[in-house]
Amino acid sequence: MSARILDGNALSAQLRGRLADDAAALAARGVQPCLAVILVGGDPASSVYVRNKVAACEKAGIKSLRFDYPQDADPASVLERIAALNADPAVHGILVQLPLPRQFNEKAVLEAIAVGKDVDGFHAENVGRLSQGQEAFFPCTPHGVMKMLESAGIAVKGADAVVIGRSNIVGKPMAVLLTNAGATVTVCHSQTRDLAAHTRRADIVIAAVGRPRFVTGDMVKPGAAVIDVGINRIQDGPEAGKLCGDVDFASVSAVAGAISPVPGGVGPMTITMLLANTIEAARRVADKR
Ligand code: NAD
């Protein structure tokens, strides 16, 4: 079997076209959607992510404000900036790029962001609302995965789904979104005994591990949908410097029914959902006026 490729670039292009129309319609109503992005330190991967997010905003007609701080920044100055952005009615979304340097209390920073501007969906109130099935800003990566499954016509209701990884930004919210959509979900992690016994039973496997090519073809049920969230840079050997996912594309694509590639799968969908959340935040403001 050769798996169907779930093309995140193509789906993103389609969705971003619609989001650009939405942004233009809001601007015509006098509300120019605006995202503020805060980057602390010069981590190369974080810098690339922020650059891509800002560029995607500009292309979709979303204004972006970027605030860069040095690695040794005083957390108080970042918290002051967040307070000012919370109070600024022209700013609809606030994103603090993670990870933060060691002197920061990440939780305190995320909770300083106004819930209505928390377009990353990491504030405890948005997390709680998501887990209760209430309206909320959903974290962008798992939300992007749900959109991919939906657009590919992959049935989630009643499906057996395995999420590998239990982080607050991917694994846990992914499991909640799948549960809310009617899947029977197993969350696997570093303490899981016999991971392959779980993945081999799954109709849907979501890999969010952070280990290059961790999921191999022998771990996947024939015909399953496999979504690769991982972004890893290969360190050594002839492929050094190249990006790869958490899924061994060659062996898994020979067994699975559908697979998302890296790059060009979940990555662009994450940014697309960030744009969608920012436009939704701006729409709420426009509707209240
Ligand atoms: P994380 O390090 O916070 O979490 C990794 C999870 O994998 C942990 O819960 C851990 O228990 C689990 N794990 C580790 N070793 C394991 C093993 N041997 N067996 C089973 N589980 C194991 O990482 P994260 O922030 O959730 O990110 C995961 C991956 O997704 C990374 O590659 C990251 O770069 C990528 N990512 C991609 C996007 C995107 O937009 N595509 C967004 C966020 C993260």
Side-chain angles (χ1 to χ4, degrees):
M1 183 186 294
S2 186
R4 179 158 58 112
I5 306 297
L6 305 176
D7 184 343
N9 281 327
L11 179 56
S12 281
Q14 193 189 324
L15 295 173
R16 288 185 202 185
R18 273 186 240 149
L19 291 169
D21 292 343
D22 292 347
L26 283 165
R29 290 169 65 189
V31 177
Q32 167 75 62
C34 174
L35 174 69
V37 181
I38 295 174
L39 174 64
V40 186
D43 174 65
S46 293
S47 301
V48 171
Y49 295 148
V50 164
R51 204 179 327 127
N52 290 344
K53 288 169 185 176
V54 167
C57 279
E58 299 296 330
K59 216 168 157 195
I62 297 173
K63 186 177 171 192
S64 60
L65 304 172
R66 183 175 161 164
F67 301 93
D68 284 83
Y69 289 83
Q71 184 73 18
D72 62 354
D74 179 356
S77 62
V78 173
L79 289 169
E80 269 168 36
R81 171 69 65 193
I82 292 172
L85 293 168
N86 283 343
D88 185 344
V91 171
H92 306 105
I94 302 170
L95 177 157
V96 178
Q97 184 66 42
L98 302 179
L100 287 165
R102 232 181 284 163
Q103 71 272 26
F104 282 80
N105 174 346
E106 208 162 271
K107 185 173 166 289
V109 170
L110 295 178
E111 309 237 322
I113 297 172
V115 176
K117 298 190 180 189
D118 172 39
V119 287
D120 251 344
F122 296 156
H123 190 291
E125 187 173 327
N126 274 318
V127 175
R129 295 176 71 87
L130 164 64
S131 75
Q132 290 188 345
Q134 296 182 37
E135 192 180 289
F137 289 119
F138 300 156
C140 301
T141 300
H143 194 194
V145 171
M146 294 305 289
K147 287 281 173 201
M148 273 185 126
L149 293 170
E150 184 190 311
S151 110
I154 292 165
V156 172
K157 201 183 283 183
D160 284 324
V162 165
V163 178
I164 317 174
R166 57 173 165 178
S167 71
N168 287 337
I169 64 171
V170 189
K172 281 187 205 157
M174 186 76 252
V176 175
L177 283 167
L178 287 164
T179 303
N180 290 354
T184 301
V185 182
T186 304
V187 180
C188 296
H189 45 76
S190 53
Q191 309 302 313
T192 299
R193 279 182 272 137
D194 200 357
L195 174 70
H198 294 285
T199 56
R200 274 191 212 114
R201 282 202 321 264
D203 305 306
I204 298 171
V205 176
I206 315 281
V209 195
R211 292 180 174 228
R213 297 175 181 147
F214 179 77
V215 177
T216 47
D218 57 322
M219 296 167 69
V220 171
K221 178 166 92 172
V226 179
I227 308 290
D228 190 351
V229 176
I231 303 177
N232 308 290
R233 202 162 286 282
I234 299 169
Q235 299 297 333
D236 322 291
E239 294 181 294
K242 271 179 70 175
L243 283 186
C244 79
D246 289 345
V247 173
D248 178 44
F249 188 89
S251 64
V252 173
S253 62
V255 181
I259 185 169
S260 72
V262 176
V266 175
M269 290 302 295
T270 295
I271 297 185
T272 300
M273 301 328 292
L274 173 68
L275 304 180
N277 280 351
T278 303
I279 285 172
E280 176 56 27
R283 184 180 294 121
R284 288 182 192 173
V285 169
D287 289 349
K288 270 202 206 127
R289 293 198 322 167

